[in-house]
Amino acid sequence: MRPFLCRFPGLKPFLLSIIVVFTFASKILHLFQHRRTVQGSSFLLYLPTFFLTDFLVSIIACLALSKLSGSLGIAGFAIVTFIGVVDVGAVSSQFGFFYVTGAEVRWNAASTLASDKAGFKLLLSGLMPFFAFSTLLLTLSWILAPLITFILGSWLNADGNAFVGLSLRSRQCLPLTNKPKEPRRRKYLALSISLIALFIILGINVYRPQVPYDHMSGTIPFTLAAAFQKQNSICLSDQQLFPLSDLVAPNLWEPENGRYKGWKPGSQPSAVDSATLKAPPWAPESWPAGFGRWMKVYNSTQDTLLAMSGVVCPGGNLYNTYDPVLDPMRITNLDLDVLAPVQEALRDHAVPIKHVFLIEMESARKDVFPLKASSHLYQQIIDAHEPANEEDLYELNSRLAAMTPVAEQITGESGNFNLRSDQLRNNLTADSWKDPSAPGMGGINVVGALTGSSLSFKSLVGSHCGVGPIPVNFMFEIEAEVYQPCIMHILKLFNQLKKEGQNEATGMRSQKWKSVFLQSVTGEFDNQVQLSLQMGFEESIFKENISTASAKHWHNGMKEINYFGYEEPEIYPYLKDTIQYANANGERLFLTHFTSTTHHPWGLPAGVEVEDYWPRNGFASAHEAMNKYLNSVRYVDKWLGNVLGLIEETGIANETLIVFVGDHGQAFEEDHHVTGTFENGHISNFRVPIVLRHPLLPRLEVHANATSMSVVPTILDLLINTNSLNDVDKDVASDLIQEYEGQSLLRPYKNSHNGRQAWNMGIINTGGTMLSVASAAAPYRLVLPLTRDFTYAFSDLSKDPHETDLLEDWDFYSLVHTVKRKHGHDAAHWLKDAEKVARWWVNERKRLWNYHEG
Ligand SMILES: *[C@@H]1O[C@H](CO)[C@@H](O)[C@H](O)[C@H]1NC(C)=O
Ligand SMILES: *[C@@H]1O[C@H](CO)[C@@H](O)[C@H](O)[C@H]1NC(C)=O
Ligand SMILES: *[C@@H]1O[C@H](CO)[C@@H](O)[C@H](O)[C@H]1NC(C)=O
Ligand SMILES: *[C@@H]1O[C@H](CO)[C@@H](O)[C@H](O)[C@H]1NC(C)=O
Ligand SMILES: *[C@@H]1O[C@H](CO)[C@@H](O)[C@H](O)[C@H]1NC(C)=O
């Protein structure tokens, strides 16, 4: 018996096979990625339902390719071809992405990336695995084509016969001529079996819980189409009630006290009250950008506030703003004294801060700033090498000791590599930067900090503006008004408040600030140029500015080292110019430099020696990514030394505060089965260094589970307390510092206050899919899914500091149950609170950012 139905000429069997192979391969990979998160028994029970749509897609493709006549046939063929091409592209990307990162590809994220030039280049960097997988799967389709055509054909043949009586439509597309008549009995038997199987599967399908199985059974190309649907959302107007209501009850409210504006969450100041409250005595005649919420006017006809600037929700006068008095999560530590050693130093000598440099360090994990022999990472490296004898270990240690000597000096944390003699250590680091500060001096090193977002630019907004970024995908922040003034906006206000005609002779306190942003890589990615303007930088220099022949320091042989741009030193002459210009013209600088070499793919300039920090044996690619990363870490360590050297050479070191902060960490296969920051909640993406360096401040190690949200208030606190501002500016700064959510790292950190914990929310790349939830008051951590496509994950960092053994569950209550069993009542209680607070926080961010779509 020949299958009559799918007897297509030429291409058709191949095309059908492509649809079947790619659809099923996609589903199998998808299920494989979720294998850890569902119980084996449920998985087996629901297994057939996962493939239901894939099967239907295959059948429909087969019918469409069958002998439809005329234009209908051509249309069917065209549609199937189109889906086939889409499938090949999508499924190969899915496999390529999995191969590179271990994560699931997100189509909406990919489409946003592809629409941006630098992002497109990032996608292109994954081209090799893409082609490898498409070739593999196409070959498989070619080989399986006859078999698949035969199986589907015979199946439809048997059932098709039976269908004839039921549907006219089927009759049209299933020509039944020259078909030997089968016995009726067999025909009905086949139909009954198929129908019964179908009903059973549909039955299980109905009973199947929606989460996670709906996500798990998503079928290409439907999942792809869903990504392009826009959600409608409107602005949230009122703050939602804080879920832990006893912690914000009126008996806990705090009255105004001096500069402190009080704390009364849930109270309802009338619009006119807050309008007048918000006009501080130091208000300038006209507000510079960034102070939108002080620019509101009261409309008495409507009894509402109107925004004078900024982006408001469409369709109304709604304009939400931040108010520290009403923020149930805000804990201030400004009532505590400045850390004692800092006070002593300030009594003893002047600590001028004329300039502030903020070095935002790309993918800077805390455990490589600096690398230390006591770290988990170091132990992993040693274990991988299995050094045979003392000599090997010694040799390895001397290589590792030369990786981050500058970070050791910046933080004051020693690597402790046990190198037998100081002489060797000095030899190893002979050509690196040497800290000239007096013994015991150097500034504040923060241990225990986490980033506010594992998406670089969201993190940048957090560290420059003291805000929580918005938990939605990509940079809505660029279209919106930042809900707090960024540090650059404040400096601009200082400039504006200075009377014209004051000259340099009266010292730095009367000089004007200039804010400059510098990086050697592109500003086109994610519209960073616009973000820089939005955050208030007066001048920004990117790859695009230095790559033209008319650029001041353009030279032959400028080489791009990754898909983002040039090696770091290309920015050096511009940095030098900026400092020299400021020196010559009596300007105070706020300068941000964003490092870049430590970004994937960790390309190094030609000629830079590549060390084998990890052994080369085993699989060709084992440890390859991490090894490249560590080499780029060494390279950037040296570069930071050069920047510090320049600051000394230009004579500004003793009057410059340098803030080092990591934008986020970076997970590798050595840390977790999913690598990179994309939709990966692992802790190795979150621990970052924060250092506030000043050669005249005492060397301090501060233990605080803060986030980079604390950077702005800490800078203000330092400017105020080192007496680096004139009276007017100091007054303004002392008032403004009370507006920020983050605590100052210049004072003892409050882990909790009146039962309220100091929560640390971390938005996970790309923003709207999952949230990292931690608290300074507890060692636990929750990764909260914001869509139905991800599991909840819990860890107890006191027992498992590197999250090698995460508890994951699709169902929150089942996770709480497991946590209670394994970690006790307190942990389970914390988890329940964390989930509620985090969901509240997500909505509150959307409200504060006046978030809306479309
Ligand atoms: C205040 O509201 C009224 C009523 O909606 C409107 O007519 C008026 O233009 C508003 N005033 C301002 C300053 O926007
Ligand atoms: C350090 O370098 C000097 C000069 O290059 C050399 O004489 C000395 O032996 C080295 N010391 C060690 C411990 O390697
Ligand atoms: C909190 O800080 C301590 C150091 O003070 C650190 O050991 C711990 O890992 C930090 N927590 C997180 C989540 O990083
Ligand atoms: C650098 O280039 C961007 C556009 O790519 C531009 O907006 C900016 O003004 C330029 N900066 C300088 C200092 O010219
Ligand atoms: C910086 O201050 C230290 C300590 O007061 C002093 O020894 C050093 O010479 C100063 N450096 C410069 C460049 O003024």
Side-chain angles (χ1 to χ4, degrees), residues 299 301-302 306:
N299 186 329
T301 335
Q302 287 182 316
L306 304 173

Side-chain angles (χ1 to χ4, degrees), residues 349-350 436-438 441 647-649 651-655 695-696:
H349 57 259
S437 342
M441 298 306 231
I647 291 172
E648 280 146 23
E649 269 166 45
I652 60 170
N654 274 355
E655 48 182 19
L696 304 180

Side-chain angles (χ1 to χ4, degrees), residues 406-425:
V406 173
E408 284 187 37
Q409 298 175 81
I410 292 173
T411 57
E413 295 180 52
S414 164
N416 279 327
F417 288 101
N418 192 15
L419 287 180
R420 289 184 203 160
S421 79
D422 287 347
Q423 186 54 45
L424 173 74
R425 167 134 208 117

